Amino acid sequence: MSAGEDFVYDEASGEWISAADAAKASDVAAVEVRDSVGNRLADGDAVTLIKDLKVKGAGQVLKPGTVIRSIRLTGDDQEIDCRYEAIKGLVLRPSSSEALGAVDS
């Protein structure tokens, strides 16, 4: 350890690592999420559903053509947080990402 170097706690390993090493690890571990046609998704994108999407717990079905605005990638390849007027706290799972169509920025 050298004076003036920043360290962060890595919860996965339980060790203190340098901030530079943590930045490199986060770049490597970046999750890449794509829609049904292969476009890469990013935070803030708006997507259009291309098939029916059953929403568990809400008793609703979102129809094709429904626009989901302001998606947020969670860093977990299993979840995409998003906003929809009628459903609070909507989370899309990988099986439903097949239902995501064209990306609007």
Side-chain angles (χ1 to χ4, degrees), residues 3-88:
E5 187 175 3
D6 292 330
F7 286 87
V8 294
Y9 184 74
D10 181 26
E11 293 181 7
S13 67
E15 298 177 355
W16 288 92
I17 58 175
S18 70
D21 291 341
K24 288 177 190 173
S26 69
D27 289 342
V28 171
V31 176
E32 188 172 285
V33 180
R34 297 187 178 267
D35 66 5
S36 64
V37 294
N39 295 324
R40 188 167 183 236
L41 298 176
D43 287 343
D45 283 345
V47 295
T48 304
L49 298 180
I50 59 171
K51 65 180 184 178
D52 284 349
L53 184 64
K54 295 178 184 175
V55 181
K56 294 180 181 178
Q60 282 186 305
V61 177
L62 298 177
K63 300 293 181 184
T66 302
V67 177
I68 305 292
R69 301 191 194 301
S70 300
I71 67 167
R72 186 176 69 87
L73 304 178
T74 62
D76 180 4
D77 60 348
Q78 300 294 315
E79 297 182 342
I80 301 171
D81 286 337
C82 53
R83 294 181 183 177
Y84 184 67
E85 300 84 32
I87 303 168
K88 202 170 199 173

